[in-house]
Each structure stands twice: as structure tokens, then as C-alpha cells.
Amino acid sequence: MKVLVIGPGGREHAIVRSLLADPKVSEVHAAPGNAGISALVPTYAIDANDPDAVAALAVRLTVDLVVVGPEAPLAAGVSDAVRAAGIPVFGPDKAAAQLEASKAFAKEVMAEAGVPTAMARVAGTAEEAADALDTFGAPYVVKDDGLAAGKGVVVTNNRDEALAHAQSCFDAGGTVVIEEFLDGPEVSVFVLCDGSNTVALSPAQDFKRIFDNDEGPNTGGMGAYTPLEWAPEGLIQEVIDRVAQPTVNQMANRGTPFVGVLFVGLALTSRGTRVIEFNVRFGDPETQAVLARLKTPLGGLLMAAAKGDLDKVQPLRWSKDTAVAVVVAAENYPDTPRTGDRIRGLKKVDALDGVHVIHAGTKLDGEGKVVSAGGRVLAVVALGTDLVEARERAYDGVELVQLDGSQFRTDIGGKAARGQIRVTAPGTPAASKAKA
């Protein structure tokens, strides 16, 4: 099997690594890739958001499967163009990708499918936003309706800050979704879908805020870990039965079958499990941790989803280890990150037991040296017999990375390692709002 992976980031590097470990995958190609990906497989400097360019490359390489990583190419219709060229694709078409491209659309589908989620209103003016904020009260949750690379959400107790974020979205020609605040710890679950069937991967937890203790602005994600020892028994089955399968069924009923990965962002609230949001691709950086534990060959799984054969897949096999991914970000991320700085120490990190580096915002300079090229530069991923060991190994690796002005969170998985996360069953006193 020859596979083409589309995208430039850490998620794609993790996917490429896993595909190369699949004995049935003979070749892997990537476009556009990054410095880490180019060290493993051939890369091609095309515009990943150009459907015709991606389809033409897939045809030229005579690949058997295209895996589309990021949300922007999916929303642009890359999967449509590749399918039209007769090549199987792991990734939803443009119509189905609206589950992420429009939060208002996702809320509509959830309502039709009976999926438990936060109460919400769509606002297109400052007056509508103010009314919605006053209806739900603080903490205020304001989401850009469109794609925002994980950074379009503001959660604040400051009403003026909430209104200002809404106004910035209006000024850009968009709308916002304003929701009730959901208490309880958050969980990310990736569900593979083939248009009819669903298969869930191991749940993970990520960390959106830039600073320790969930302070500062939202980012694309500063780290993640899996599995979640504190998650309620039966959570995955609940996600399949109440969220993923009803959503896939509803999308099929609409004539827009969903093929790819449905990323379900959950809050385990004191009133029960609630969906925070849907994404239509593997999450970053959760993918880096989740795929590090997956023992079932990835290529076969993604091809089964692309061809409608997930019902034939055997139960997934997982490592008993815990995985932790810690993101190293550039100076001034998430605002205007500093780029072009040399990155050193990567070979030393890879030499550590159970540790590897996943590249995200990296490239090679004119001398063939690895330099920073984005906000989230790389992730250090570690496996350990438990969360404590995995965290120690990951942070040992982070300390070896040399990048001027870089920043990282020191508390990825910390509260979970100390047993400080509690999920309260509905009907009992409010669940802890502490996040790992």
C-alpha cells in the first residue's frame, strides 16, 4: 500500500511514523511535510489547501490512499477532488467537514441527532451577543463560528472581554456561537468513521492554554497524555452510543456521509457527559500521544475507513504504557511567534529511552539545519509504565531541546499523576473543575 499524507505539522509527522511501522504499507509520501517528516519520507512542496494540486500529486504518485491531516484542506474540498480522481481518501468531503468548519452547523446536527451538548446561541451582532451572554451568565464562552486553528474560543468571567472577542469575529465578517459553560474535566476521543460504522481510539486529554494552571490565551494545544485512568468506566461506549454513531447516522441521512475521524471534545460535567465541539481530523497534540500507544497497524485502519470496511476491523490493540506529549513552542506564541531560530539537541532527545521528537513548525535552512518555522515547533513524546514515569521522561527530553526563547508548560498530566482529577456522577455534588 502506498500512502500520501497531506499536511505540515506534528499530527502528520505522528501519522507518517505510524504508517511506516505498518508492514502492509510499502511507501509513504507527504506534502508539504516539515523537517522531521522529510527525514523519513519524500516530501512535495505543494499547497495543501489546493484540491487540484493534491489530487494531481496523488495521481502522479499512483498512491492507494490519501490521508488528509489538517482541517483547512478538508474544508477546502481536497478530499472531494482526490475521490473524484478515483483514489480512496481518509478525511471527510467538504460538505461533511462543515462539522468543524461551522460550529453553528455542528450544533444543528447535534440537535437533530440528540447528542448531549451545551446550550448555545448563534450571534451576528453585538446586541445579539450581549443578550446571549446575559442569558447564560459567567463564565462566558464565545466561539468563532469558523476555523480558527484551535484559538478562536474565549472563556472568561469578564463580560467586556467576551464582547470584545465577539466583536473581533464580527469585524472579520463572521459570526459567533455563545454557549453555557460546561464544568468538569475535558476529554478528547478520536472516532474513526467510514460513513456507517464507528471505531473509537483511546481517550486523551490536552491542554489548550499557553501557561501552567490553564492560564493565558488558547493555543492549538500545548501537550497531551493518554490513557486516562480517572475516566469513568464505559465512557467510550457512551461516546459511541450517544455521540459518534448518532452523528454519523444523521450525516448519512443528510446525504453527506462522514468518512474520516470525528474528533469529539467532551466535558465530563456534574450533569453528565456533554460535547464541547466536533473536529473532523486527528487532534494535535493528542495524536502524538495516542498513536504512540496504538499497536494495531494504522494503514489498514485508515484504508478500512476510506473503503467502508470498519465493521470488519478486529478490536484495536494498545500498548500498556502511558504516553505523554509536551509541546515546545516558539517565543511569543500564540501571538506572532518568532521563527527562523536553530533547534539543537534533537538527536540527544531521540536517544533517550522511550522518547522521540515529533516535528511541527520546523524546516531546513539553506545549510540543511533544522530551524523553527511556526508557533508550536515540536513535541517531545515519551512512553512510560505509568503517567509519572512518562512525564519524567518527556520532561527530561524537553530539557535537552535548545531553542532560543522557547516556552513549554510544566504541568502536562501533573494533576492526573497526583490523583487530583475527580469525575462526579450526575446528581452528586458538582464535579471538580480542575483540569489535569
Side-chain angles (χ1 to χ4, degrees):
M1 183 194 314
K2 295 170 62 175
V3 186
L4 171 62
V5 178
I6 302 300
R11 160 186 47 232
E12 290 75 41
H13 189 185
I15 290 170
V16 166
R17 287 183 85 254
S18 290
L19 288 172
L20 289 172
D22 185 336
K24 293 187 178 179
V25 173
S26 56
E27 292 181 29
V28 179
H29 301 259
N34 57 39
I37 294 173
S38 66
L40 299 176
V41 301
T43 57
Y44 306 85
I46 66 168
D47 180 358
N49 298 331
D50 183 336
D52 292 337
V54 174
L57 177 62
V59 170
R60 178 162 66 87
L61 295 174
T62 63
V63 297
D64 302 295
L65 175 68
V66 173
V67 178
V68 184
E71 60 272 28
L74 294 167
V78 164
S79 292
D80 306 64
V82 175
R83 285 194 181 96
I87 299 173
V89 185
F90 182 82
D93 61 20
K94 185 175 183 178
Q98 287 298 299
L99 279 176
E100 178 171 0
S102 170
K103 292 177 178 61
F105 175 81
K107 286 289 187 183
E108 181 180 303
V109 172
M110 283 187 239
E112 293 171 353
V115 170
T117 186
M119 294 185 291
R121 285 190 186 178
V122 179
T125 67
E127 293 74 18
E128 291 173 348
D131 184 61
L133 292 173
D134 292 340
T135 296
F136 294 129
Y140 304 107
V141 181
V142 184
K143 299 180 177 182
D144 187 337
D145 184 43
L147 296 178
K151 294 176 282 188
V153 180
V154 164
V155 181
T156 179
N157 285 306
N158 187 316
R159 186 175 181 276
D160 290 340
E161 182 182 351
L163 279 173
H165 179 62
Q167 190 60 54
S168 69
C169 296
F170 301 149
D171 292 343
T175 58
V176 296
V177 174
I178 296 175
E179 297 183 352
E180 64 170 329
F181 176 77
L182 298 176
D183 65 2
E186 296 180 11
V187 177
S188 300
V189 180
F190 302 149
V191 183
L192 307 183
C193 310
D194 67 4
S196 301
N197 305 291
T198 54
V199 174
L201 304 188
S202 176
Q205 186 175 59
D206 84 327
F207 299 74
K208 287 297 185 192
R209 304 278 189 165
I210 184 66
F211 301 128
D212 285 4
N213 302 312
D214 295 320
E215 295 180 357
N218 270 343
T219 71
M222 292 299 294
Y225 68 96
T226 183
L228 310 181
E229 298 296 337
W230 48 266
E233 187 177 353
L235 175 64
I236 290 301
Q237 195 60 51
E238 181 186 11
V239 170
I240 291 294
D241 293 343
R242 300 188 63 201
V243 179
Q245 196 63 54
T247 299
V248 168
N249 293 345
Q250 187 59 35
M251 292 296 286
N253 291 340
R254 280 171 160 257
T256 54
F258 188 91
V259 176
V261 60
L262 183 66
F263 173 170
V264 182
L266 300 167
L268 307 188
T269 81
S270 54
R271 295 184 292 116
T273 303
R274 297 288 186 272
V275 174
I276 301 171
E277 65 177 353
F278 284 149
N279 293 322
V280 298
R281 36 71 192 184
F282 284 114
D284 189 340
E286 297 99 321
T287 301
Q288 288 86 308
V290 171
L291 292 188
R293 294 187 58 245
L294 181 65
K295 292 297 188 183
T296 300
L298 183 64
L301 278 178
L302 303 188
M303 181 64 90
K307 290 190 169 183
D309 292 335
L310 279 179
D311 56 328
K312 302 174 185 176
V313 168
Q314 297 297 312
L316 303 187
R317 294 181 291 109
W318 297 93
S319 165
K320 294 181 180 179
D321 287 340
T322 294
V324 173
V326 179
V327 170
V328 176
E331 181 178 351
N332 206 38
Y333 177 74
D335 296 322
T336 307
R338 171 174 154 181
T339 60
D341 290 307
R342 177 81 185 276
I343 306 168
R344 295 177 171 85
L346 301 183
K347 291 182 180 178
K348 292 181 179 179
V349 180
D350 282 329
L352 295 176
D353 186 29
V355 181
H356 63 271
V357 174
I358 293 290
H359 290 242
T362 66
K363 68 177 183 180
L364 299 178
D365 65 11
E367 299 178 354
K369 305 297 185 182
V370 179
V371 298
S372 60
R376 290 183 297 162
V377 180
L378 55 87
V380 175
V381 182
L383 290 167
T385 55
D386 57 21
L387 183 53
V388 172
E389 182 178 63
R391 291 187 76 249
E392 289 176 353
R393 288 179 169 181
Y395 281 108
D396 284 346
V398 169
E399 293 297 334
L400 295 175
V401 177
Q402 299 177 42
L403 172 63
D404 289 346
S406 63
Q407 53 182 325
F408 60 90
R409 283 183 58 158
T410 66
D411 62 347
I412 305 302
K415 288 181 179 176
R418 296 189 295 273
Q420 295 176 339
I421 300 183
R422 298 288 184 272
V423 179
T424 304
T428 57
S432 166
K433 294 181 183 180
K435 182 171 178 179

